Amino acid sequence: AACRAGGEVAVVAAPLGEHVTSALDLAFTARPDARLVTWTRLNSVKHTLSQAKAGCSCVALTNHGTDEDREAGRNRPCFVHIPAELLLHKAARQTAKAAQFVSADVVGGVPVAHRLFYEEVRLDPAAAMKGLLRALNATPTRRQLAGPSIPTAIQKLTSDDLSSVLLDFAAADEAFGAWPCLRKHLHHRSDRVETCEAEAARMEAGAADAGRRRERVNELTLAAQTLAGNSSQPYTLACEPNSTRHGARHVLCAAAEHKRMALLGSAGPVDVCLTAGWHSSPVSHGADWIGGRVTG
């Protein structure tokens, strides 16, 4: 992102890979007067789910949208199905990535001018933007001040209560039981949370344990991909009333219909976002989420 504040501004987010470091080196060699801003989301569970559900087509799980999208989501809810242990593993990895930026004074050899956190922007967007502008010694124009408010521009649709987002919240709660810090991320309804670097590091410690965990994560991912028709691509399972379903899809649709009834008090169509895994290795870094749609 560029901002005329006596030079250019580079905004960088985790993970900090070799390609990002190289890009920063080139950028700041060309513009030594530029400033670096880091962008971090502290809640690793919500960050992981946000990436996961981006591959599904149901409107109810759209990260950001319009009032019409919100109403459509109420009429046809959608719940995320992801193996609880896989969610735990990915959230821990996300924590380790975000930890690079939480208190870093230097990133990729470049001094950090300002740290911007997703949670702070959500809680008080005006104050967060003022802090950013002060750090960059920049002043917004009158036209910018008179424009649409930041809260309207970044309207968030997905509930902050993950018990209404995850299809089997109880299973996730059980899987996170031995990790109290990460469990707070699972339960937290507001946005500001503590970081969990110590738990993430403890989870990664021990080659034997790490090897067994990778085997388990791969096993869970392959099982989910089998459910998705041997696809590693997340997709939306559409559960229509009175439709014929068999096997695991019947179980998932029945659970989704029961959850809809519990939350809304009415029967009707409901979707399940099946996050089968990543289209590359389930334990790799930076894999993308993609998806399609089938009818159960």
Side-chain angles (χ1 to χ4, degrees):
C3 175
R4 296 296 176 183
E8 298 297 318
V9 176
V11 180
V12 62
L16 184 64
E18 183 178 345
H19 64 291
V20 177
T21 304
S22 299
L24 284 175
D25 183 59
L26 289 172
F28 282 84
T29 297
R31 293 298 304 266
D33 60 337
R35 269 76 59 79
L36 179 66
V37 175
T38 59
W39 171 255
T40 311
R41 185 170 188 175
L42 297 175
N43 192 312
S44 57
V45 176
K46 290 184 178 180
H47 195 173
T48 299
L49 282 175
S50 180
Q51 293 175 321
K53 63 188 178 64
C56 287
S57 60
C58 44
V59 176
L61 292 178
T62 303
N63 281 334
H64 305 92
T66 64
D67 290 335
E68 290 77 11
D69 293 329
R70 188 184 300 278
E71 185 61 27
R74 289 195 187 103
N75 294 330
R76 189 183 185 104
C78 186
F79 307 112
V80 177
H81 173 69
I82 180 172
E85 291 178 67
L86 185 59
L87 176 60
L88 173 62
H89 171 83
K90 288 296 180 180
R93 297 300 293 270
Q94 187 62 49
T95 292
K97 295 173 186 176
Q100 301 175 87
F101 292 164
V102 170
S103 58
D105 294 319
V106 177
V107 171
V110 179
V112 175
H114 187 67
R115 304 182 192 94
L116 196 60
F117 295 96
Y118 173 94
E119 286 79 6
E120 292 179 352
V121 175
R122 281 290 317 282
L123 289 173
D124 193 341
M129 292 301 102
K130 287 179 182 178
L132 172 63
L133 292 173
R134 280 196 301 269
L136 300 177
N137 194 28
T139 303
T141 64
R142 290 183 179 181
R143 180 178 178 182
Q144 290 171 326
L145 290 173
S149 66
I150 293 173
T152 299
I154 58 171
Q155 183 177 180
K156 187 174 186 293
L157 300 185
T158 307
S159 173
D160 281 317
D161 180 3
L162 295 186
S163 67
S164 64
V165 176
L166 288 168
L167 180 61
D168 194 346
F169 183 80
D173 192 34
E174 182 179 355
F176 280 72
W179 310 93
C181 182
L182 286 167
R183 188 169 179 265
K184 288 180 182 178
H185 287 213
L186 179 70
H187 281 266
H188 214 63
R189 297 190 185 187
S190 59
D191 285 292
R192 189 72 192 187
V193 292
E194 61 181 312
T195 56
C196 301
E197 298 102 315
E199 283 189 358
R202 184 157 56 91
M203 197 178 294
E204 288 296 319
D209 288 342
R212 284 194 295 270
R213 186 165 55 253
R214 281 194 297 270
E215 290 178 4
R216 177 59 175 159
V217 168
N218 287 337
E219 176 186 333
L220 289 168
T221 303
L222 288 173
Q225 291 172 359
T226 300
L227 176 62
N230 294 322
S231 171
S232 62
Q233 302 178 7
Y235 65 90
T236 302
L237 175 62
C239 304
E240 304 294 344
N242 303 316
S243 62
T244 302
R245 301 182 295 262
H246 304 282
R249 294 185 178 184
H250 170 75
V251 174
L252 288 173
C253 282
E257 290 164 350
H258 177 78
K259 195 175 186 78
R260 177 197 164 105
M261 180 63 73
L263 291 175
L264 302 181
S266 64
V270 63
D271 295 328
V272 179
C273 175
L274 287 167
T275 57
W278 288 254
H279 64 80
S280 56
S281 168
V283 294
S284 67
H285 292 279
D288 298 321
W289 297 81
I290 50 182
R293 184 180 181 89
V294 298
T295 301

